[in-house]
Amino acid sequence: MGFIDTIKARARENKKTIVLPETEDRRTYLAAEQILKEGIADIVLIGSEEAVKKGSEGLDISGAAIVDPATSDRTSAYIDKFVELRAKKGMTPEKAKEILLNDYPYYGCMMVKMGDADGMVSGACHSSADTLRPCLQILKTKPGTKLVSAFFLVAVPDCEYGEDGVFIFSDAGLNQNPNPEELAAIAGSSAETFRFLVQKEPKVAMLSHSTKGSAKHPDVDKVVEATRIAKEQYPDLQLDGELQLDAAIVPEIAASKAPGSPVAGQANVLIFPDLDAGNIGYKLVQRLGKADAYGPITQGIAAPVNDLSRGCSAEDIVGAVAITAVQCAAN
C-alpha cells in the first residue's frame, strides 16, 4: 500500500466534509467524482446548479452537495460574520456580500468558520496568495502558532532515501525568506506534521549549500543560527544542520561530510533556507523523479485549508483532499 493509500484509508475511517470552491475548473469535478467513489470525504461544490451541471457533464458527482452563494439561506449569516471579523479593517455589509458572492474561496472559508464544513482545498486556478488570504482573514491562526507555513508532502517511487521515499519539503509554498527564528518555527511545525501524517519519527535537516562550515556566507550563517534556535526550542527532536542535500539523505556522503550527525544520511523532513529553494526543489523531484507532490499543505491555521499548485492534476486534488480530511479529524 502506497503512502497516499494509507492516508485515504485514514480519511475513510472518520469521514469529513471538504469544500471545493473552484467549480470553474474541470479538474475539480474529476477529483470530486473520484473522492466520492472512493468514499474519502463528503464534498461541497460552490456554484450555481446550472454551472455545476455544465462543468461536470459526463461525470457522476451526484453525491456532492452543491451550494449556490446567491440562493443559500446561510449566506446572510456568513455576511454578518464576515463583517464582524473584519470590522476593524472597514468591512461593510455591501462589500462583504460582493466578496462572498463572487470570490468562492472566501465563501468556502466562511463555511468552515461557521461549522458547515470541516476543511477546504483550493488553488488549482488561484494563486497561493488568493487561496491563503481568505483563511488568514477569516479562520486566523491556531492558538500557540508561531508562524503559518506551507509544505509539500513528497512521495518518491522506488526510493531508498527518506522514509521509504516519503519526505516533507518545507517551507515550499508561503514564506519567502524566513529569518532564523522563523526557520526554526517551520522546522518544529514540520516535524510535528510529519509525525502525525506519516506516523514515523521525523528526522529534520536544515538545508544549505554548505555542510558543517564548508562554505562561508551570510546565507549559511542564517541556517546555522536557525539550527541553534531549533535545537534549543525542540531539544527532543532529531534535527541537525547546516547540511547540503546529499549529506542530509545519502548515508555514504553523510559519513564523510557530517560524521557523527544524528540526522545526516537519514533525513525525512527537509527545511529549505527560502521559498525559492523549496519551490524549485519539490518541482525538480516531482517532474524529474516522477514523485507525487501534495500541497502546499498549510500548518498553523485554525482549521485545515490547503492550497494546490496551479499545475496540479485531478489526482493531486484527490490526495490533497485526503490529507486535509485527516488533518480535520485531528482538529
Side-chain angles (χ1 to χ4, degrees), residues 5-54:
D5 297 313
T6 302
I7 291 290
K8 289 178 179 180
R10 289 169 65 186
R12 281 191 287 266
E13 289 174 2
N14 192 351
K15 194 181 288 188
K16 297 298 179 182
T17 299
I18 307 299
V19 181
L20 298 178
E22 295 178 307
T23 49
E24 68 270 44
D25 195 298
R26 179 71 172 179
R27 290 170 295 177
T28 297
Y29 299 108
L30 292 166
E33 182 183 53
Q34 185 176 338
I35 292 160
L36 294 167
K37 182 179 180 180
E38 295 187 33
I40 296 167
D42 293 323
I43 292 298
V44 176
L45 299 169
I46 301 178
S48 69
E49 292 273 356
E50 181 181 357
V52 171
K53 183 178 180 180
K54 181 179 179 181

Side-chain angles (χ1 to χ4, degrees), residues 46 67 69 72 74-75 78 100 103-111:
I46 301 178
V67 174
S72 172
R74 294 290 288 151
T75 298
Y78 294 169
L100 293 177
D103 196 332
Y104 289 172
Y106 270 94
Y107 197 92
C109 282
M110 285 306 310
M111 293 191 73

Side-chain angles (χ1 to χ4, degrees), residues 84-168:
E84 176 189 328
L85 291 170
R86 303 291 293 170
K88 292 182 179 178
K89 298 294 184 179
M91 184 62 68
T92 64
E94 294 75 21
K95 184 63 175 176
K97 181 178 181 179
E98 179 186 351
I99 292 172
L100 293 177
L101 292 186
N102 293 287
D103 196 332
Y104 289 172
Y106 270 94
Y107 197 92
C109 282
M110 285 306 310
M111 293 191 73
V112 176
K113 180 70 174 180
M114 300 289 277
D116 295 325
D118 299 300
M120 184 178 82
V121 173
S122 182
C125 47
H126 287 81
S127 68
S128 292
D130 288 339
T131 295
L132 297 176
R133 188 181 302 110
C135 60
L136 292 172
Q137 291 181 359
I138 293 169
L139 299 171
K140 314 293 186 182
T141 57
K142 187 181 295 184
T145 295
K146 295 178 181 177
L147 180 73
V148 174
S149 56
F151 64 90
F152 277 82
L153 210 155
V154 178
V156 187
D158 304 317
C159 177
E160 72 264 39
Y161 304 128
E163 196 63 48
D164 294 324
V166 176
F167 298 87
I168 275 181

